[in-house]
Amino acid sequence: MSFLGALLENLRLLPRRAWRELRPGRDPLPPGGDEASRRLRRAFVLHLHPLRVTERALSPWVTLGLGLLTGTLFLALALSGALLMVYYVPSPERAHASMLDLQHAVAFGAFLRAVHRWAAHGMLVTVGLHLLRVTAQGAYRRRELNWLLGLGLLGTTLGLAFTGYLLPWDQRSFWAVTVSANLLDHVPWLGAWLKALFLGGDQVGPAALVRFYALHVAVLPALLLGLLALHLWRLRKDGGLAASAGQPALVPAWPHLVLREAAVALAALAAVCTLAALLDAPLGAPIDPHLPSNPEKAPWYFVWVQEMVSYSAPVGGVIFPGLLGLLLCLLPFLDREDEGLGRWFGPGRVRAWALGWGGAGLLAFVAFEALYLGAQAGGDAPASDLWNPATGMLLVAGLAFLGAGTLARSTRAACLACLLVLLVALVGFMAVGQCRGPDWVFYWPWEAWPGGV
Amino acid sequence: MAFEPTRDGRRAALALLLAALALAGALVLAAVRAWTPAWRSTQAEFQALGLAADEGALGLQQGVNCAGEVERCTSCHLAVRRPELGGRALPIPFRPHPGDLLRLHPPRVGCTDCHGGLGRALGLPAAHAMPDGESPEPQLRGAHQQARCARCHLPSAALGMPRVVSGADLYLELGCALCHPLSAGGRGGFDFGPELRALGRRSPRALETSLIDPTANFPDSSMPSFRATFEGQPEALLDLLVFLESLGLPPGGDCGLQALSAGWAGRPCADCHAGPGGEAAGRFVHRCDHLRARAEELRCARCHPGEIPPAGPGGGECPAVAVQRGACGVCHLVADPEVGP
């Protein structure tokens, strides 16, 4: 065949060959052997999944798709963030002006800001729920490394959200970051040093803006990508879904699982884009370091710490978060039970005691807060380092650990009950913190704050 | 139920299709919103009124003010520089600038130089910077506008800034300067309140709060409340507020005072505004000179309306100065002519 003939033939076959290179392997898979492993090596999606999965993996109710949702939202954040970087200038003089440009003059600028904001809030929620799902189903079992990697991802996500909060450089972000950074004052020994490291001084200023920017766009995303790669690699090596061992894997991952995941991912993006198209991200007034906002409130995901610090600095700022973090890190080593893996809150006996203690925690929380807020409204200063709602909830969590463990004769029941009580406390303090008005006075959501701010 | 690969594959593909359609719908919605900002409908109204002189004047309008900041005000205020529309009853954003002020100022002076507000923002309330009345650099309205004149022009009642002038008197009479000096790194008396040279970037509302209820803005403040002083004296309060809002530096660069005096109409300010007579365009008194002269006048004249008594046996010690440091106005009402020793 002539040169020209060969070229024409190659061009004719180009679309078909290109498609064959790109598609993930549509034909029925051969039963193993060279061909199957060749496809496996070539197809990226089949590196995330095995060739065949269990039927259980297709059910949306097992994982609720939370890990996938988190990853999708991170993708949305990376894309919108990269575009925002084109216009954003991380200098104290230009930062707020560039935000105004984005919000008002750049095509789709306001949309990008809103996507970034909604995806960030969404990712914080899904990453938290993902942690709860894995905990509740005991899916950390035999996956100690991946559990710790997941905690690292949670910390990195919080760091990204927090560093991003400062970048608009408006009154809201300035005072929220100021009050959050001041929480570090309550950390013994390291606190002052950490604060100086992150802020580049003793207060939020130009150095802090540049540091937060570097962390937000380079250091933390790189860290998150690295941890995420390890997380997914371990997930694959650990055998995919927890508690699937022994079940026959008969369903080809392509198309049944991959299409489902793509649908969930697109639906998440659609939800974020709809929200972003309808609701703009707020942009406050340019900062004025001499005019504190009242109340100075941390971002919602840190407001539980701020609320507890208002009772007692050492308990709220160090002891409670420290114990919670320690318990989470030790969880897969404290509980080694295999019974009821993959079921919500484990086998029936464990579930009953864990949920029972969780309910008791809720009652205790309401009682503590009613007593505390009542005393506060009465003008007393009821908080001491020893006796306040935060220490009360720690006490209940300790009781739940021992009580549920003893009564159900199960380490899992002990851990779940204790974590549930701490979760109730965390969400509760978050809610109470959100209800704080000027001078950290409690107002119900339907009550207007004085001053009409 | 047994797993049927074909049916399940179809169902999964359908779910993917629906999700993709939802995403496409969301993106279309976003595009529609991005292409129909509020200023576009304002411009459509302008066109509907038949006021658009030519198509080129529409679209996003951008300019630069004296401080070098971008401003987009004329995207909505489309007829500001069209005095021929003056006689007609038009909605506010379409009215030409009132008076002769645009002609009298150099063309580089932007809207925000005089009116304040966030020039980069578009649409109410962001551009006017009054979402909560607490923004720094808010748009100034009514009498507050005089404060902005005083940023570039030396305060003088003849230049249309009577409130700045009488506000400066109040600043002295009430004893504000005792704690709050107007000098770089300057320290006042008593407990050394912060100096106020850049106070004008605060919102009128924040300033008023600081006068009436100082601890509302700064819980640790030891400043006395001036609520009683201004009870029933809204005009006096406004005077003082306008003076405080006027505190700030004039813009630098092309519109700075030096450039103005050398370049505007080719003559320095002093040609028209100083020297013998000086009545032609109003006499200028520099803010600092004015304050210094008035401080001397007020120092004794407030208690001794006539002749100032000679130094007594105490070596000229005046109790009002020695004990109260002249801060009589804190307690004694401004308009009370009967205040005595």
Side-chain angles (χ1 to χ4, degrees):
Chain A
M1 196 188 288
S2 72
F3 151 72
L4 209 57
L7 191 66
L8 285 174
E9 176 69 5
N10 287 349
L11 282 175
R12 191 178 66 77
L13 290 174
L14 191 146
R16 200 182 305 166
R17 284 176 178 158
W19 169 240
R20 202 169 61 202
E21 286 304 307
L22 294 175
R23 69 182 175 164
R26 198 187 170 92
D27 313 322
L29 288 166
D34 285 350
E35 176 59 16
S37 62
R38 190 186 69 80
R39 284 217 193 125
L40 184 67
R41 279 199 306 276
R42 290 170 67 89
F44 173 71
V45 287
L46 294 182
H47 270 89
L48 289 174
H49 298 299
L51 283 177
R52 291 168 193 282
V53 294
T54 58
E55 258 185 74
R56 181 168 171 268
L58 298 184
S59 162
W61 308 114
V62 178
T63 68
L64 305 176
L66 287 164
L68 172 65
L69 285 174
T70 310
T72 308
L73 292 174
F74 175 68
L75 187 74
L77 283 162
L79 287 177
S80 57
L83 291 172
L84 287 170
M85 275 175 74
V86 174
Y87 287 93
Y88 180 75
V89 185
S91 92
E93 293 82 25
R94 308 309 305 162
H96 190 265
S98 59
M99 295 306 280
L100 284 172
D101 284 349
L102 270 166
Q103 187 66 33
H104 295 286
V106 173
F108 289 94
F111 177 66
L112 282 176
R113 283 195 65 224
V115 165
H116 205 70
R117 170 173 184 263
W118 285 112
H121 286 321
M123 187 171 166
L124 285 164
V125 171
T126 56
V127 86
L129 292 177
H130 184 50
L131 176 101
L132 293 180
R133 196 280 299 177
V134 169
T135 309
Q137 295 187 349
Y140 48 80
R141 184 73 187 92
R142 297 172 200 280
R143 291 153 185 243
E144 291 82 0
L145 175 61
N146 217 12
W147 169 259
L148 293 175
L149 287 169
L151 289 183
L153 283 164
L154 171 71
T156 313
T157 308
L158 281 171
L160 276 164
F162 181 59
T163 50
Y165 209 92
L166 181 66
L167 300 185
W169 205 241
D170 59 1
Q171 277 286 70
R172 168 204 297 258
S173 67
F174 179 82
W175 291 107
V177 170
T178 296
V179 73
S180 307
N182 287 344
L183 294 178
L184 281 175
D185 289 341
H186 307 302
V187 178
W189 308 304
L190 283 177
W193 180 79
L194 276 176
K195 194 172 153 186
L197 181 71
F198 284 119
L199 298 188
D202 57 357
Q203 52 190 347
V204 179
L209 181 60
V210 174
R211 280 169 199 227
F212 275 49
Y213 181 70
L215 286 170
H216 188 74
V217 305
V219 179
L220 292 176
L223 182 65
L224 191 133
L225 273 180
L227 288 174
L228 183 62
L230 287 172
H231 196 61
L232 294 175
W233 168 71
R234 277 316 309 174
L235 174 68
R236 183 84 164 78
K237 289 290 164 195
D238 288 335
L241 280 187
S244 289
Q247 297 176 21
L250 300 171
V251 184
W254 174 269
H256 303 285
L257 181 58
V258 176
L259 282 189
R260 275 175 166 77
E261 289 182 335
V264 170
L266 286 190
L269 290 179
V272 166
C273 289
T274 308
L275 271 175
L278 295 177
L279 296 165
D280 279 345
L283 180 62
I287 67 160
D288 184 348
H290 304 293
L291 192 67
S293 58
N294 189 2
E296 296 170 18
K297 214 176 261 190
W300 62 267
Y301 40 87
F302 285 141
V303 90
W304 54 283
V305 180
Q306 199 187 0
E307 172 66 22
M308 290 192 299
V309 165
S310 79
Y311 311 145
S312 154
V315 176
V318 183
I319 298 177
F320 189 106
L323 283 178
L324 179 62
L326 188 69
L327 182 62
L328 284 176
C329 289
L330 294 181
L331 181 61
F333 304 99
L334 294 180
D335 166 40
R336 314 290 291 179
E337 288 170 18
D338 282 331
E339 194 191 348
L341 277 192
R343 290 173 58 191
W344 288 92
F345 301 102
R349 163 177 59 88
V350 171
R351 184 184 311 140
W353 284 114
L355 291 180
W357 274 101
L362 186 60
L363 291 178
F365 176 81
V366 172
F368 289 150
E369 280 297 332
L371 279 174
Y372 179 82
L373 291 173
Q376 204 176 38
D380 295 339
S384 73
D385 287 344
L386 260 178
W387 179 236
N388 60 55
T391 49
M393 290 308 285
L394 279 178
L395 192 70
V396 176
L399 283 177
F401 188 84
L402 297 175
T406 317
L407 291 166
R409 285 189 301 285
S410 152
T411 52
R412 169 157 305 154
C415 291
L416 284 182
C418 182
L419 280 172
L420 268 177
V421 172
L422 292 178
L423 175 73
V424 164
L426 190 152
V427 174
F429 289 139
M430 214 184 261
V432 174
Q434 287 296 346
C435 292
R436 296 291 185 170
D439 302 324
W440 215 244
V441 173
F442 183 89
Y443 295 97
W444 291 107
W446 53 88
E447 284 179 324
W449 290 356
V453 177
Chain B
M1 195 174 71
F3 180 76
E4 292 177 38
T6 320
R7 222 180 79 200
D8 184 84
R10 256 192 231 125
R11 265 176 48 200
L14 183 68
L16 180 64
L17 182 70
L18 289 177
L21 285 177
L23 179 57
L27 290 175
V28 168
L29 184 66
V32 169
R33 283 217 54 196
W35 289 110
T36 52
W39 60 268
R40 272 196 204 276
S41 35
T42 307
Q43 295 198 342
E45 262 176 67
F46 191 66
Q47 268 184 308
L49 287 171
L51 298 173
D54 60 301
E55 291 290 318
L58 295 177
L60 189 64
Q61 303 290 311
Q62 298 195 115
V64 178
N65 71 4
C66 282
E69 285 292 331
V70 171
E71 55 176 41
R72 308 189 166 107
C73 316
T74 47
S75 299
C76 292
H77 298 279
L78 292 151
V80 162
R81 288 187 189 275
R82 290 178 58 188
E84 77 272 12
L85 296 177
R88 301 170 57 175
L90 295 169
I92 285 175
F94 307 144
R95 287 184 198 160
H97 199 284
D100 218 8
L101 290 171
L102 278 188
R103 193 180 58 78
L104 290 173
H105 284 85
R108 272 298 299 276
V109 174
C111 309
T112 48
D113 286 320
C114 297
H115 295 274
L118 285 175
R120 285 172 183 267
L122 283 162
L124 288 161
H128 296 193
M130 15 179 221
D132 48 13
E134 292 196 345
S135 303
E137 302 285 6
Q139 186 212 10
L140 297 169
R141 305 190 133 175
H144 294 276
Q145 195 71 63
Q146 293 178 21
R148 277 309 181 108
C149 307
R151 289 276 179 100
C152 298
H153 298 285
L154 301 174
S156 147
L159 258 184
M161 290 177 266
R163 289 198 183 271
V164 179
V165 174
S166 39
D169 279 358
L170 281 172
Y171 167 77
L172 295 167
E173 284 174 27
L174 294 174
C176 309
L178 289 173
C179 300
H180 298 287
L182 288 178
S183 50
R187 310 183 84 189
F190 295 135
D191 57 353
F192 306 124
E195 57 119 332
L196 303 180
R197 281 182 311 152
L199 193 72
R201 59 187 301 268
R202 297 291 158 65
S203 71
R205 182 167 144 191
L207 292 176
E208 187 176 339
T209 307
S210 264
L211 286 172
I212 301 301
D213 183 10
T215 49
N217 282 347
F218 303 98
D220 300 332
S221 170
S222 59
M223 177 171 150
S225 164
F226 286 80
R227 189 188 296 276
T229 314
F230 291 113
E231 197 78 63
Q233 310 252 9
E235 291 298 309
L237 177 60
L238 186 56
D239 286 348
L240 183 59
L241 282 176
V242 172
F243 169 71
L244 296 176
E245 287 157 24
S246 79
L247 298 175
L249 293 174
D254 287 356
C255 304
L257 279 181
Q258 299 219 326
L260 275 183
S261 60
W264 176 234
R267 288 180 297 176
C269 312
D271 275 10
C272 305
H273 297 289
E279 276 83 23
R283 194 167 62 87
F284 267 169
V285 182
H286 193 280
R287 172 152 49 215
C288 303
D289 292 336
H290 172 83
L291 289 176
R292 227 170 278 133
R294 284 293 290 162
E296 274 309 305
E297 276 175 51
L298 288 167
R299 192 173 145 92
C300 308
R302 194 173 174 83
C303 305
H304 306 282
E307 197 179 330
I308 296 172
E317 279 295 296
C318 162
V321 174
V323 183
Q324 300 301 336
R325 317 268 302 263
C328 313
V330 175
C331 307
H332 297 287
L333 298 188
V334 180
D336 185 356
E338 294 303 308
V339 180

